Amino acid sequence: MAKKDYYEILGVSRSASADEIKSAYRRMAKKYHPDLYSMKSEEERKNAEQKFKEVQHAYAVLSDPQKKQTYDQFGTEDGPSMEGFGGFNPFGGGGFTGDFADDIINNIFNAFTGGGATRRRYERDGDDIETVLNLTFEEACFGIEKEITFTRVEKCKTCGGTGAKNASDIKTCPKCGGAGTIRVGQRTPFGMMQTTRTCDRCGGEGKIIEEKCQDCKGRGRVKRQRTIKVKIPAGVDNGQMLTMRGEGNAAYTPNGANGNLIIIFKVAPHEIFTRDKYNLHLEMPITFMEAVLGARVDVPTLDGVIKIDIPEGTQHGSIIRIKGKGIKYLRKELYGDLYIKIIVDIPKSLSPSQRSKLKEVEKALEKANYEKVQKFRKKRKGL
Ligand SMILES: [Zn+2]
Ligand SMILES: [Zn+2]
């Protein structure tokens, strides 16, 4: 089920101020208040009740700075849940509390509707699930389709989420008559006051279940393993996340939205390449003779070996940039570059004959052949 936009529900823009949100809420809640629909048709009443709940929920989120911020950022007030499966409790954990919404409703409506029991039933969306997906360096660079298996809470198929063995096992709560709330008299300094409380028999549901569904033990939801195919785009990097909307845990209440599945990529390092955003870096050793004389050498890239020319007199540590041989940009037809850092390999432990041949070469060279050495020694003399 697609998540409804809370701003849309209240009919305000995303930049609306707290006051604008509040007055929009009052306006919408008045419009759909159940008391105004008590004489209307069943359909109209149900529709208004649904709208009324949505308005309440939207306001509960948008009037709470913390929840609003989370909602603006993640598209759900629950944010990216780090608890995973831990919060499997239909009435506990995060989300907003009924008390909060009750307070608002009572404050606003008692004034002009003369009170009246309001249903204490609010939609609660499912929790998000986070899962880590391991990728090879190449899979992250080129993209891949992968199967992900994870455990999530789903609506129980046996009972259709009602938690009852048979439909006839769902009964209207005898204590509250289905309202979910009961009226209690309270002695106060101003005399007896009538207040409404959540019904303790049904926990505010308005219904009780006589015989519970065997498969879900009455919870209406069950843990299930699920495998889905995920298309991972080329260019994703270590630590990046992909959100699959609605693939998380089932909603706590019948009309809530499912949570999201958040896939976090863990990309393995490459044997020779390192990555800096979309650029690739490679340290490439060449022989000291190749550095001195220049050479045509093979260079590995992500899509095969290419040949490049090392110029005569290439210095140790110098960097050669090859355009477009880096990583593809995420969702763009653009590529980073490949940076090759030259490592000059100096021969160690020479044999006597190698040594004498090299000495002859050294004799043939002139001071001018060693630019850096000359410069340095001139400075040293001045000290
Ligand atoms: Zn009850
Ligand atoms: Zn069930």
Side-chain angles (χ1 to χ4, degrees):
M1 187 188 290
K3 266 197 198 283
K4 294 207 166 124
D5 187 279
Y6 295 154
Y7 293 95
E8 243 169 61
I9 289 168
L10 294 181
V12 292
S13 76
R14 292 201 153 250
S15 56
S17 70
D19 280 344
E20 283 168 331
I21 289 171
K22 194 172 187 176
S23 70
Y25 165 67
R26 282 168 187 261
R27 194 167 60 241
M28 298 307 273
K30 271 180 199 171
K31 191 172 162 192
Y32 295 117
H33 192 269
D35 285 359
L36 303 178
Y37 290 81
S38 54
M39 300 307 213
K40 298 283 170 80
S41 74
E42 164 102 20
E43 198 192 332
E44 279 176 292
R45 207 168 60 232
K46 282 225 161 111
N47 185 43
E49 193 183 306
Q50 176 62 30
K51 288 261 166 59
F52 187 61
K53 282 181 199 161
E54 285 174 2
V55 166
Q56 282 170 41
H57 189 137
Y59 183 64
V61 173
L62 298 184
S63 61
D64 179 327
Q66 190 71 52
K67 280 181 189 144
K68 183 176 185 293
Q69 195 192 352
T70 308
Y71 176 73
D72 288 345
Q73 191 175 353
F74 298 103
T76 160
E77 64 273 28
D78 296 321
S81 167
M82 298 303 284
E83 299 160 2
F85 204 72
F88 184 64
N89 173 2
F91 302 111
F96 66 95
T97 68
D99 291 329
F100 169 70
D102 259 358
D103 284 349
I104 301 169
I105 293 156
N106 288 336
N107 289 344
I108 294 175
F109 297 107
N110 283 345
F112 71 93
T113 63
T118 44
R119 270 183 174 255
R120 190 198 170 90
R121 297 187 61 205
Y122 312 104
E123 295 305 336
R124 276 201 66 199
D125 297 339
D127 293 318
D128 291 343
I129 299 172
E130 281 192 2
T131 183
V132 172
L133 180 63
N134 289 301
L135 297 176
T136 66
F137 194 87
E138 286 87 352
E139 285 170 345
C141 294
F142 295 119
I144 190 170
E145 194 172 84
K146 281 221 159 186
E147 283 196 341
I148 298 179
T149 299
F150 61 103
T151 307
R152 72 176 184 185
V153 180
E154 293 184 358
K155 194 187 261 188
C156 175
K157 283 198 180 108
T158 315
C159 62
T162 62
K165 191 177 181 198
N166 298 299
S168 59
D169 287 317
I170 308 169
K171 296 269 158 71
T172 301
C173 173
K175 189 161 180 181
C176 62
T181 51
I182 43 172
R183 284 167 172 269
V184 229
Q186 215 173 20
R187 201 177 290 279
T188 74
F190 312 104
M192 283 295 280
M193 295 274 279
Q194 285 264 316
T195 57
T196 49
R197 286 236 179 99
T198 303
C199 173
D200 55 347
R201 176 79 197 271
C202 62
E205 290 291 296
K207 287 173 196 152
I208 54 164
I209 292 165
E210 284 191 336
E211 198 167 345
K212 287 176 179 170
C213 166
Q214 294 273 306
D215 289 359
C216 64
K217 308 279 183 289
R219 280 177 294 211
R221 308 186 311 150
V222 285
K223 286 185 193 181
R224 255 214 192 96
Q225 204 174 60
R226 179 165 161 80
T227 301
I228 56 167
K229 267 192 185 160
V230 182
K231 252 204 169 119
I232 294 136
V236 298
D237 207 347
N238 193 40
Q240 281 180 339
M241 294 188 273
L242 184 74
T243 300
M244 310 277 293
R245 284 218 145 188
E247 290 289 349
N249 288 331
Y252 291 100
T253 52
N255 296 312
N258 287 350
N260 301 324
L261 174 70
I262 298 165
I263 301 162
I264 305 160
F265 299 117
K266 194 173 170 195
V267 181
H270 194 275
E271 217 175 315
I272 56 169
F273 294 116
T274 55
R275 179 174 174 174
D276 169 26
K277 294 205 172 97
Y278 298 108
N279 292 329
L280 276 181
H281 293 266
L282 169 67
E283 286 197 350
M284 190 174 71
I286 57 172
T287 72
F288 84 120
M289 271 305 161
E290 284 169 339
V292 173
L293 304 175
R296 197 175 177 82
V297 296
D298 286 345
V299 174
T301 71
L302 282 177
D303 55 358
V305 172
I306 57 167
K307 287 193 183 299
I308 65 160
D309 288 314
I310 304 286
E312 187 180 331
T314 291
Q315 302 295 309
H316 176 79
S318 53
I319 287 167
I320 298 168
R321 174 187 178 204
I322 302 175
K323 285 199 89 178
K325 284 291 175 189
I327 295 160
K328 188 186 170 295
Y329 277 61
L330 202 57
R331 299 186 177 97
K332 257 190 227 170
E333 274 309 314
L334 201 64
Y335 287 81
D337 301 330
L338 171 63
Y339 289 87
I340 305 163
K341 185 177 179 186
I342 298 297
I343 307 295
V344 177
D345 198 358
I346 313 285
K348 289 177 183 170
S349 46
L350 298 172
S351 71
S353 85
Q354 289 170 333
R355 189 172 277 273
S356 68
K357 275 177 186 149
L358 267 182
K359 276 192 168 169
E360 247 166 72
V361 173
E362 176 74 350
K363 257 183 229 163
L365 289 170
E366 292 167 11
K367 279 186 176 176
N369 288 117
Y370 293 111
E371 201 182 301
K372 278 183 279 197
V373 173
Q374 284 302 107
K375 259 191 190 166
F376 180 76
R377 290 187 181 166
K378 258 186 200 163
K379 280 184 195 163
R380 194 185 62 185
K381 270 183 191 161
L383 290 176

